[in-house]
Amino acid sequence: AADCVCNAGFYGGGEGGCEVCPLNSFCAGAPVEVVEVSFSVLLPITEAQFNETVELRYVTEIAESLGVPVENVAIVSVTVVEGGIVIETEVSVTPSGDEDAEDVVSKLEDVDLSWLPTGESESEGGEPPRAVIQNVTTTVTEVIAKQECPEHSQSPPGSTSAADCVCNP
C-alpha cells in the first residue's frame, strides 16, 4: 500500500513494501521524504557522441548538482530527435533540512552541461547549441530510510540505531 510505514529494523515503504535492514546498516523507523524527480534533457549531440564516457560524466554532473550518489540517477531512455537526442532521466533525492521538492528542482538550474561535445549546427546567435532541461516532474513519498554504519564498523541485519554499529574486529 502507498501509505505503508516500516517498523524500526526495516526500511522502504510506499509501494515497494518493507525490507529488513541489511547488514552494516541501521533503520531507525522514522519516515523521511524522498523526492523522485523526472526530467528530459535535450542534448544537441548525436547518439554516437553520447558514448559511455559522456554518459558517466552526465550522470555524475546530475548527481553532484542534486547532492546525491550516482546510484540515485537513472537514465530511463535515450531518443534520437531532430537536432540531437533526448535523455529521459530519473533521480531519487532525500532533501536535507527544510528543503522541499521545489528546492530540489531549483538545483537543476546548477547542472553544468557546457562540457558536452556539440553537434555541427549553431544556434541563431552563432553560439553552439546548449543542453535544455525540460518536462520536470516530481513525486514526493515518505519512506523509512536505511543509513550506513560508519566506515570500519558493522551491524547485524535488522539493526535499529547507530548504536548497533560496532567497530570491525
Side-chain angles (χ1 to χ4, degrees):
D3 58 355
C4 172
V5 176
C6 301
N7 292 324
F10 293 82
Y11 74 102
E15 295 187 25
C18 299
E19 296 181 37
V20 69
C21 199
L23 182 70
N24 302 328
S25 300
F26 61 96
C27 307
V32 295
E33 272 192 356
V34 174
V35 179
E36 300 292 338
V37 184
S38 300
F39 54 93
S40 303
V41 180
L42 173 60
L43 298 178
I45 63 175
T46 66
E47 189 174 25
Q49 288 174 304
F50 193 68
N51 59 35
E52 194 174 308
T53 302
V54 173
E55 179 179 340
L56 179 59
R57 187 158 178 200
Y58 168 83
V59 168
T60 301
E61 182 63 39
I62 298 292
E64 287 177 357
S65 295
L66 295 179
V68 300
V70 292
E71 297 81 29
N72 289 28
V73 180
I75 294 176
V76 177
S77 66
V78 178
T79 308
V80 177
V81 297
E82 185 175 334
I85 60 173
V86 172
I87 303 173
E88 298 292 334
T89 308
E90 292 181 352
V91 184
S92 180
V93 182
T94 302
S96 59
D98 57 357
E99 283 185 324
D100 61 14
E102 282 185 28
D103 296 322
V104 171
V105 170
S106 71
K107 291 180 181 180
L108 285 173
E109 296 171 11
D110 298 331
V111 174
D112 177 17
L113 298 174
S114 63
W115 54 268
L116 282 164
T118 58
E120 298 299 316
S121 62
E122 291 186 348
S123 64
E124 291 180 22
E127 304 257 335
R130 296 279 183 211
V132 177
I133 297 175
Q134 55 195 9
N135 304 325
V136 179
T137 61
T138 59
T139 304
V140 179
T141 56
E142 278 196 348
V143 299
I144 303 300
K146 67 175 180 166
Q147 296 171 284
E148 300 299 318
C149 287
E151 190 174 358
H152 307 296
S153 66
Q154 60 190 8
S155 67
S159 296
T160 59
S161 76
D164 295 335
C165 299
V166 296
C167 290
N168 291 334

